[in-house]
Amino acid sequence: MATQLVRNIRQLINVRKENQLLRGSGLAILPSIEDAYLVIEDGRITEFGEMKDISSSLLRIDHSTDASGQFILPCWCDSHTHLVFAANRENEFIDKLKGLSYAEIAAKGGGILNSAKKLNETSEVELFNQAWKRLKEVTQLGTGAIEIKSGYGLTTEGELKMLRVIKKLKEKSGLSIKATFLGAHAYPLEYKDNHQGYIDRLIREMLPAIAKEKLADYIDVFCETGFFSPEETEMICQAGMNYGLKPKLHVNQLSSIGGIETGIKMKAVSLDHLEVMTDDDIKNMQNSGTIGTLLPSAAFFLRMPFQPARKLIDQGAAIALASDYNPGSSPSGNMNFVLSLSCIQMRMLPEEAINAATINGAYAMDLQNELGSIMVGKKANLIFTRQISSIAYLPYAFGTNLIDKVMIAGEWQS
Ligand code: NIG
Ligand code: FE
């Protein structure tokens, strides 16, 4: 691939010399260069700086793009999604609007078990085709790295099918993709009164098969009242860790039952959701190396309290932002909206939100050496904005698509 030059960039955002997981007041520091240039070779960033310092040999490069008036940012790193699913659940959405409770919806065959039934009836090819469309859509919205979970199979065959789809997405797409095994998303009906029976299946049947095909990077459990207890969560994660899968967990979405302590004890890469946090939970996060991944669009869609981002940041916890794209609690993978929600509803500053959705998101997928900032050697996964007045305009003007173009590994996306 030829050398490419991007010149006259109004502002190059999140430029860094070294990697660091950001926390506390460091999250509000978003280094940038005004009137900048950027050089890309073989899909990677090789040089950047101020236009006034550009060497004359660079100006003779054939492949050159004029980014006058545009801001360039590293692509969003969406570290928590369920992008592979078989069907939307807008019927459930209508039922909820009409006042039906979660329990009533579940009794009508709704929720995760509904998605699992549909997924098991859907072919791998069909699942891939649907997921591919969603991946294309979120790429256009600026996502350049994404974590995708299984968890709508809940059978060995279904979970393997989902993870194979994720593997194919990895192979076919230029995006950096991480796969997470979430067999412990819900108990299938036939195991409602036999939790240990399902856990045994997860550990003895699913995990070895997944490990054999190298289908997952992480292990996830929905640690929640009515789903998996902290003890069950630990048992499942320990088994996953024996196969080299690091924990990344759903905790404290609806209640605080000890998932934070359990996750930190196991050195989870991230603990995600965090709508319901006690003071002790926040203190535990603050003293840990585990990232708290906030999913404000899930809180928005379910009309739940938003995550206590300010408290977490001000007390020094490391946080990331992600979309939770899934058919039940966040039927949108739009990270631009996540950015707006985090500022409007959680009082994050635009700089904090951008860092949390880029470099800290990259850390939450162990991709910090590849993505998440403008740094020499990193992949050229870049957002080119439309002509905007300042970087704060991005979260401020919610709902408007302010992205002009997206580049993945040096290639324009269309
Ligand atoms: O992250 N909370 C658990 N899992 C998903 C929602 C699953 C669903 O409703 O399909 C979430 O919100
Ligand atoms: Fe989720």
Side-chain angles (χ1 to χ4, degrees), residues 80 82 89 92 102 111-112 115 149 152 182 185 222 250 253 273 295 298 302 324 326-330:
H80 179 137
H82 310 246
R89 301 206 316 246
E92 227 172 85
Y102 191 79
I112 296 170
S115 282
K149 299 170 194 298
Y152 289 127
L182 174 58
H185 200 185
F222 186 19
H250 282 75
Q253 181 182 13
H273 267 295
L295 312 170
L302 297 180
D324 199 17
N326 78 77
S329 66
S330 179

PDB file of all heavy atoms in Angstrom, residues 80 82 89 92 102 111-112 115 149 152 182 185 222 250 253 273 295 298 302 324 326-330, ligand 1:
ATOM      1  N   HIS A  80     -17.998  -3.412  24.374  1.00  0.00           N
ATOM      2  CA  HIS A  80     -19.059  -4.293  24.920  1.00  0.00           C
ATOM      3  C   HIS A  80     -20.254  -4.270  23.972  1.00  0.00           C
ATOM      4  O   HIS A  80     -21.003  -3.297  23.925  1.00  0.00           O
ATOM      5  CB  HIS A  80     -19.468  -3.796  26.320  1.00  0.00           C
ATOM      6  CG  HIS A  80     -20.559  -4.598  26.973  1.00  0.00           C
ATOM      7  ND1 HIS A  80     -20.507  -4.967  28.309  1.00  0.00           N
ATOM      8  CD2 HIS A  80     -21.727  -5.099  26.507  1.00  0.00           C
ATOM      9  CE1 HIS A  80     -21.589  -5.654  28.617  1.00  0.00           C
ATOM     10  NE2 HIS A  80     -22.361  -5.741  27.532  1.00  0.00           N
ATOM     11  N   HIS A  82     -23.322  -7.044  21.832  1.00  0.00           N
ATOM     12  CA  HIS A  82     -23.901  -8.359  21.520  1.00  0.00           C
ATOM     13  C   HIS A  82     -24.381  -8.254  20.070  1.00  0.00           C
ATOM     14  O   HIS A  82     -25.560  -8.424  19.783  1.00  0.00           O
ATOM     15  CB  HIS A  82     -25.090  -8.659  22.430  1.00  0.00           C
ATOM     16  CG  HIS A  82     -24.855  -8.473  23.903  1.00  0.00           C
ATOM     17  ND1 HIS A  82     -24.863  -9.522  24.781  1.00  0.00           N
ATOM     18  CD2 HIS A  82     -24.631  -7.362  24.657  1.00  0.00           C
ATOM     19  CE1 HIS A  82     -24.655  -9.057  26.028  1.00  0.00           C
ATOM     20  NE2 HIS A  82     -24.516  -7.752  25.973  1.00  0.00           N
ATOM     21  N   ARG A  89     -36.371  -7.139  18.791  1.00  0.00           N
ATOM     22  CA  ARG A  89     -37.445  -7.434  19.746  1.00  0.00           C
ATOM     23  C   ARG A  89     -38.353  -6.221  19.933  1.00  0.00           C
ATOM     24  O   ARG A  89     -38.679  -5.843  21.042  1.00  0.00           O
ATOM     25  CB  ARG A  89     -36.830  -7.885  21.085  1.00  0.00           C
ATOM     26  CG  ARG A  89     -35.946  -9.109  20.944  1.00  0.00           C
ATOM     27  CD  ARG A  89     -35.788  -9.990  22.171  1.00  0.00           C
ATOM     28  NE  ARG A  89     -35.566  -9.355  23.423  1.00  0.00           N
ATOM     29  CZ  ARG A  89     -34.430  -9.457  24.147  1.00  0.00           C
ATOM     30  NH1 ARG A  89     -33.416 -10.172  23.707  1.00  0.00           N
ATOM     31  NH2 ARG A  89     -34.341  -8.873  25.315  1.00  0.00           N
ATOM     32  N   GLU A  92     -41.573  -6.635  22.007  1.00  0.00           N
ATOM     33  CA  GLU A  92     -41.371  -6.513  23.447  1.00  0.00           C
ATOM     34  C   GLU A  92     -41.339  -5.038  23.865  1.00  0.00           C
ATOM     35  O   GLU A  92     -41.826  -4.671  24.935  1.00  0.00           O
ATOM     36  CB  GLU A  92     -39.994  -7.094  23.738  1.00  0.00           C
ATOM     37  CG  GLU A  92     -39.927  -8.035  24.871  1.00  0.00           C
ATOM     38  CD  GLU A  92     -38.537  -8.651  24.881  1.00  0.00           C
ATOM     39  OE1 GLU A  92     -37.631  -8.041  25.440  1.00  0.00           O
ATOM     40  OE2 GLU A  92     -38.371  -9.750  24.309  1.00  0.00           O
ATOM     41  N   TYR A 102     -41.253  -6.680  33.213  1.00  0.00           N
ATOM     42  CA  TYR A 102     -40.224  -7.595  32.701  1.00  0.00           C
ATOM     43  C   TYR A 102     -40.685  -9.043  32.865  1.00  0.00           C
ATOM     44  O   TYR A 102     -40.546  -9.855  31.945  1.00  0.00           O
ATOM     45  CB  TYR A 102     -38.918  -7.350  33.477  1.00  0.00           C
ATOM     46  CG  TYR A 102     -37.728  -8.032  32.882  1.00  0.00           C
ATOM     47  CD1 TYR A 102     -37.089  -7.490  31.766  1.00  0.00           C
ATOM     48  CD2 TYR A 102     -37.234  -9.222  33.411  1.00  0.00           C
ATOM     49  CE1 TYR A 102     -35.993  -8.120  31.198  1.00  0.00           C
ATOM     50  CE2 TYR A 102     -36.148  -9.854  32.847  1.00  0.00           C
ATOM     51  CZ  TYR A 102     -35.527  -9.301  31.745  1.00  0.00           C
ATOM     52  OH  TYR A 102     -34.445  -9.924  31.187  1.00  0.00           O
ATOM     53  N   GLY A 111     -37.483 -11.588  26.249  1.00  0.00           N
ATOM     54  CA  GLY A 111     -36.171 -11.506  26.900  1.00  0.00           C
ATOM     55  C   GLY A 111     -35.093 -12.343  26.237  1.00  0.00           C
ATOM     56  O   GLY A 111     -35.189 -12.721  25.066  1.00  0.00           O
ATOM     57  N   ILE A 112     -34.050 -12.610  27.014  1.00  0.00           N
ATOM     58  CA  ILE A 112     -32.876 -13.325  26.500  1.00  0.00           C
ATOM     59  C   ILE A 112     -33.272 -14.699  25.955  1.00  0.00           C
ATOM     60  O   ILE A 112     -32.781 -15.139  24.908  1.00  0.00           O
ATOM     61  CB  ILE A 112     -31.805 -13.454  27.613  1.00  0.00           C
ATOM     62  CG1 ILE A 112     -31.291 -12.061  28.025  1.00  0.00           C
ATOM     63  CG2 ILE A 112     -30.640 -14.333  27.159  1.00  0.00           C
ATOM     64  CD1 ILE A 112     -30.419 -12.049  29.269  1.00  0.00           C
ATOM     65  N   SER A 115     -34.577 -14.464  22.514  1.00  0.00           N
ATOM     66  CA  SER A 115     -33.480 -14.310  21.543  1.00  0.00           C
ATOM     67  C   SER A 115     -32.758 -15.639  21.332  1.00  0.00           C
ATOM     68  O   SER A 115     -32.327 -15.948  20.215  1.00  0.00           O
ATOM     69  CB  SER A 115     -32.478 -13.255  22.036  1.00  0.00           C
ATOM     70  OG  SER A 115     -32.991 -11.970  21.804  1.00  0.00           O
ATOM     71  N   LYS A 149     -20.066 -10.488  21.905  1.00  0.00           N
ATOM     72  CA  LYS A 149     -20.287 -11.611  22.812  1.00  0.00           C
ATOM     73  C   LYS A 149     -21.188 -12.677  22.195  1.00  0.00           C
ATOM     74  O   LYS A 149     -22.046 -12.355  21.380  1.00  0.00           O
ATOM     75  CB  LYS A 149     -20.988 -11.110  24.086  1.00  0.00           C
ATOM     76  CG  LYS A 149     -20.186 -10.082  24.846  1.00  0.00           C
ATOM     77  CD  LYS A 149     -21.024  -9.457  25.951  1.00  0.00           C
ATOM     78  CE  LYS A 149     -20.365  -8.209  26.494  1.00  0.00           C
ATOM     79  NZ  LYS A 149     -19.062  -8.439  27.100  1.00  0.00           N
ATOM     80  N   TYR A 152     -26.545 -15.815  23.190  1.00  0.00           N
ATOM     81  CA  TYR A 152     -27.927 -16.024  22.766  1.00  0.00           C
ATOM     82  C   TYR A 152     -28.107 -17.439  22.216  1.00  0.00           C
ATOM     83  O   TYR A 152     -29.087 -17.736  21.538  1.00  0.00           O
ATOM     84  CB  TYR A 152     -28.345 -15.002  21.707  1.00  0.00           C
ATOM     85  CG  TYR A 152     -28.520 -13.593  22.243  1.00  0.00           C
ATOM     86  CD1 TYR A 152     -27.860 -12.521  21.665  1.00  0.00           C
ATOM     87  CD2 TYR A 152     -29.357 -13.348  23.325  1.00  0.00           C
ATOM     88  CE1 TYR A 152     -28.017 -11.231  22.144  1.00  0.00           C
ATOM     89  CE2 TYR A 152     -29.523 -12.064  23.825  1.00  0.00           C
ATOM     90  CZ  TYR A 152     -28.853 -11.012  23.238  1.00  0.00           C
ATOM     91  OH  TYR A 152     -29.018  -9.742  23.718  1.00  0.00           O
ATOM     92  N   LEU A 182     -20.194 -15.836  26.378  1.00  0.00           N
ATOM     93  CA  LEU A 182     -21.177 -15.468  27.407  1.00  0.00           C
ATOM     94  C   LEU A 182     -22.251 -16.561  27.504  1.00  0.00           C
ATOM     95  O   LEU A 182     -23.442 -16.303  27.457  1.00  0.00           O
ATOM     96  CB  LEU A 182     -21.763 -14.070  27.079  1.00  0.00           C
ATOM     97  CG  LEU A 182     -22.908 -13.507  27.914  1.00  0.00           C
ATOM     98  CD1 LEU A 182     -22.571 -13.410  29.400  1.00  0.00           C
ATOM     99  CD2 LEU A 182     -23.361 -12.141  27.416  1.00  0.00           C
ATOM    100  N   HIS A 185     -25.346 -16.314  30.226  1.00  0.00           N
ATOM    101  CA  HIS A 185     -26.152 -15.097  30.037  1.00  0.00           C
ATOM    102  C   HIS A 185     -27.490 -15.248  30.745  1.00  0.00           C
ATOM    103  O   HIS A 185     -28.074 -14.309  31.248  1.00  0.00           O
ATOM    104  CB  HIS A 185     -26.358 -14.864  28.535  1.00  0.00           C
ATOM    105  CG  HIS A 185     -26.733 -13.460  28.156  1.00  0.00           C
ATOM    106  ND1 HIS A 185     -27.043 -13.108  26.874  1.00  0.00           N
ATOM    107  CD2 HIS A 185     -26.835 -12.327  28.885  1.00  0.00           C
ATOM    108  CE1 HIS A 185     -27.329 -11.810  26.833  1.00  0.00           C
ATOM    109  NE2 HIS A 185     -27.209 -11.316  28.051  1.00  0.00           N
ATOM    110  N   PHE A 222     -23.424 -13.020  33.298  1.00  0.00           N
ATOM    111  CA  PHE A 222     -24.400 -12.014  33.737  1.00  0.00           C
ATOM    112  C   PHE A 222     -24.623 -12.233  35.223  1.00  0.00           C
ATOM    113  O   PHE A 222     -25.451 -13.064  35.622  1.00  0.00           O
ATOM    114  CB  PHE A 222     -25.699 -12.165  32.928  1.00  0.00           C
ATOM    115  CG  PHE A 222     -26.732 -11.095  33.178  1.00  0.00           C
ATOM    116  CD1 PHE A 222     -26.414  -9.874  33.749  1.00  0.00           C
ATOM    117  CD2 PHE A 222     -28.054 -11.315  32.800  1.00  0.00           C
ATOM    118  CE1 PHE A 222     -27.379  -8.892  33.963  1.00  0.00           C
ATOM    119  CE2 PHE A 222     -29.030 -10.346  32.999  1.00  0.00           C
ATOM    120  CZ  PHE A 222     -28.687  -9.138  33.586  1.00  0.00           C
ATOM    121  N   HIS A 250     -20.742  -8.777  33.146  1.00  0.00           N
ATOM    122  CA  HIS A 250     -21.933  -7.950  33.360  1.00  0.00           C
ATOM    123  C   HIS A 250     -22.200  -7.930  34.869  1.00  0.00           C
ATOM    124  O   HIS A 250     -22.550  -8.976  35.438  1.00  0.00           O
ATOM    125  CB  HIS A 250     -23.153  -8.590  32.703  1.00  0.00           C
ATOM    126  CG  HIS A 250     -23.250  -8.410  31.223  1.00  0.00           C
ATOM    127  ND1 HIS A 250     -22.473  -9.097  30.336  1.00  0.00           N
ATOM    128  CD2 HIS A 250     -24.070  -7.602  30.480  1.00  0.00           C
ATOM    129  CE1 HIS A 250     -22.815  -8.735  29.100  1.00  0.00           C
ATOM    130  NE2 HIS A 250     -23.768  -7.834  29.163  1.00  0.00           N
ATOM    131  N   GLN A 253     -26.085  -4.263  37.044  1.00  0.00           N
ATOM    132  CA  GLN A 253     -27.030  -3.601  36.131  1.00  0.00           C
ATOM    133  C   GLN A 253     -28.334  -3.281  36.866  1.00  0.00           C
ATOM    134  O   GLN A 253     -28.860  -2.187  36.766  1.00  0.00           O
ATOM    135  CB  GLN A 253     -27.318  -4.479  34.899  1.00  0.00           C
ATOM    136  CG  GLN A 253     -28.289  -3.803  33.919  1.00  0.00           C
ATOM    137  CD  GLN A 253     -28.646  -4.659  32.711  1.00  0.00           C
ATOM    138  OE1 GLN A 253     -28.375  -5.856  32.689  1.00  0.00           O
ATOM    139  NE2 GLN A 253     -29.261  -4.050  31.721  1.00  0.00           N
ATOM    140  N   HIS A 273     -21.606  -2.307  32.861  1.00  0.00           N
ATOM    141  CA  HIS A 273     -22.951  -1.823  33.216  1.00  0.00           C
ATOM    142  C   HIS A 273     -22.850  -0.800  34.343  1.00  0.00           C
ATOM    143  O   HIS A 273     -22.851   0.372  34.098  1.00  0.00           O
ATOM    144  CB  HIS A 273     -23.941  -2.937  33.597  1.00  0.00           C
ATOM    145  CG  HIS A 273     -24.744  -3.413  32.438  1.00  0.00           C
ATOM    146  ND1 HIS A 273     -25.646  -2.633  31.782  1.00  0.00           N
ATOM    147  CD2 HIS A 273     -24.749  -4.601  31.796  1.00  0.00           C
ATOM    148  CE1 HIS A 273     -26.184  -3.312  30.788  1.00  0.00           C
ATOM    149  NE2 HIS A 273     -25.641  -4.513  30.766  1.00  0.00           N
ATOM    150  N   LEU A 295     -22.411   1.783  30.189  1.00  0.00           N
ATOM    151  CA  LEU A 295     -23.244   1.533  29.013  1.00  0.00           C
ATOM    152  C   LEU A 295     -24.492   2.417  29.091  1.00  0.00           C
ATOM    153  O   LEU A 295     -25.594   1.937  29.369  1.00  0.00           O
ATOM    154  CB  LEU A 295     -23.635   0.043  28.978  1.00  0.00           C
ATOM    155  CG  LEU A 295     -22.488  -0.964  29.191  1.00  0.00           C
ATOM    156  CD1 LEU A 295     -23.014  -2.381  29.375  1.00  0.00           C
ATOM    157  CD2 LEU A 295     -21.517  -0.924  28.014  1.00  0.00           C
ATOM    158  N   ALA A 298     -27.943   1.595  27.389  1.00  0.00           N
ATOM    159  CA  ALA A 298     -28.788   0.552  27.996  1.00  0.00           C
ATOM    160  C   ALA A 298     -29.616   1.169  29.119  1.00  0.00           C
ATOM    161  O   ALA A 298     -30.817   0.886  29.255  1.00  0.00           O
ATOM    162  CB  ALA A 298     -27.932  -0.596  28.524  1.00  0.00           C
ATOM    163  N   LEU A 302     -33.757   1.332  28.922  1.00  0.00           N
ATOM    164  CA  LEU A 302     -34.536   0.644  29.960  1.00  0.00           C
ATOM    165  C   LEU A 302     -35.062   1.604  31.025  1.00  0.00           C
ATOM    166  O   LEU A 302     -35.654   1.184  32.004  1.00  0.00           O
ATOM    167  CB  LEU A 302     -33.688  -0.447  30.630  1.00  0.00           C
ATOM    168  CG  LEU A 302     -33.208  -1.592  29.732  1.00  0.00           C
ATOM    169  CD1 LEU A 302     -32.390  -2.592  30.545  1.00  0.00           C
ATOM    170  CD2 LEU A 302     -34.369  -2.308  29.051  1.00  0.00           C
ATOM    171  N   ASP A 324     -23.123  -1.572  24.187  1.00  0.00           N
ATOM    172  CA  ASP A 324     -23.973  -2.707  24.598  1.00  0.00           C
ATOM    173  C   ASP A 324     -24.954  -3.114  23.496  1.00  0.00           C
ATOM    174  O   ASP A 324     -26.004  -3.690  23.787  1.00  0.00           O
ATOM    175  CB  ASP A 324     -24.735  -2.381  25.896  1.00  0.00           C
ATOM    176  CG  ASP A 324     -25.260  -3.618  26.610  1.00  0.00           C
ATOM    177  OD1 ASP A 324     -24.773  -4.722  26.307  1.00  0.00           O
ATOM    178  OD2 ASP A 324     -26.158  -3.486  27.467  1.00  0.00           O
ATOM    179  N   ASN A 326     -27.483  -4.561  21.485  1.00  0.00           N
ATOM    180  CA  ASN A 326     -28.189  -5.845  21.613  1.00  0.00           C
ATOM    181  C   ASN A 326     -29.680  -5.598  21.431  1.00  0.00           C
ATOM    182  O   ASN A 326     -30.136  -4.460  21.553  1.00  0.00           O
ATOM    183  CB  ASN A 326     -27.886  -6.495  22.986  1.00  0.00           C
ATOM    184  CG  ASN A 326     -28.671  -5.859  24.122  1.00  0.00           C
ATOM    185  OD1 ASN A 326     -29.857  -6.120  24.300  1.00  0.00           O
ATOM    186  ND2 ASN A 326     -28.020  -4.975  24.896  1.00  0.00           N
ATOM    187  N   PRO A 327     -30.459  -6.663  21.132  1.00  0.00           N
ATOM    188  CA  PRO A 327     -31.873  -6.422  20.808  1.00  0.00           C
ATOM    189  C   PRO A 327     -32.767  -6.141  22.019  1.00  0.00           C
ATOM    190  O   PRO A 327     -33.902  -5.699  21.850  1.00  0.00           O
ATOM    191  CB  PRO A 327     -32.301  -7.746  20.148  1.00  0.00           C
ATOM    192  CG  PRO A 327     -31.383  -8.766  20.735  1.00  0.00           C
ATOM    193  CD  PRO A 327     -30.071  -8.071  20.963  1.00  0.00           C
ATOM    194  N   GLY A 328     -32.257  -6.380  23.237  1.00  0.00           N
ATOM    195  CA  GLY A 328     -33.117  -6.245  24.413  1.00  0.00           C
ATOM    196  C   GLY A 328     -32.971  -4.939  25.167  1.00  0.00           C
ATOM    197  O   GLY A 328     -33.967  -4.336  25.594  1.00  0.00           O
ATOM    198  N   SER A 329     -31.736  -4.474  25.349  1.00  0.00           N
ATOM    199  CA  SER A 329     -31.558  -3.301  26.216  1.00  0.00           C
ATOM    200  C   SER A 329     -30.869  -2.126  25.534  1.00  0.00           C
ATOM    201  O   SER A 329     -30.829  -1.035  26.099  1.00  0.00           O
ATOM    202  CB  SER A 329     -30.767  -3.682  27.470  1.00  0.00           C
ATOM    203  OG  SER A 329     -29.448  -4.041  27.136  1.00  0.00           O
ATOM    204  N   SER A 330     -30.329  -2.338  24.329  1.00  0.00           N
ATOM    205  CA  SER A 330     -29.702  -1.221  23.610  1.00  0.00           C
ATOM    206  C   SER A 330     -29.674  -1.527  22.110  1.00  0.00           C
ATOM    207  O   SER A 330     -28.648  -1.917  21.569  1.00  0.00           O
ATOM    208  CB  SER A 330     -28.277  -0.987  24.131  1.00  0.00           C
ATOM    209  OG  SER A 330     -27.683   0.076  23.418  1.00  0.00           O
TER     210      SER A 330
HETATM  211  O1  NIG B   1     -26.088  -6.177  28.457  1.00  0.00           O
HETATM  212  N1  NIG B   1     -27.938  -7.632  30.811  1.00  0.00           N
HETATM  213  C1  NIG B   1     -27.688  -8.597  30.158  1.00  0.00           C
HETATM  214  N2  NIG B   1     -27.537  -8.679  28.843  1.00  0.00           N
HETATM  215  C2  NIG B   1     -27.812  -7.645  27.897  1.00  0.00           C
HETATM  216  C3  NIG B   1     -29.249  -7.609  27.500  1.00  0.00           C
HETATM  217  C4  NIG B   1     -29.702  -8.894  27.008  1.00  0.00           C
HETATM  218  C5  NIG B   1     -31.037  -8.905  26.341  1.00  0.00           C
HETATM  219  O2  NIG B   1     -32.030  -8.362  26.879  1.00  0.00           O
HETATM  220  O3  NIG B   1     -31.100  -9.513  25.280  1.00  0.00           O
HETATM  221  C6  NIG B   1     -27.304  -6.318  28.383  1.00  0.00           C
HETATM  222  O4  NIG B   1     -28.063  -5.388  28.718  1.00  0.00           O
END
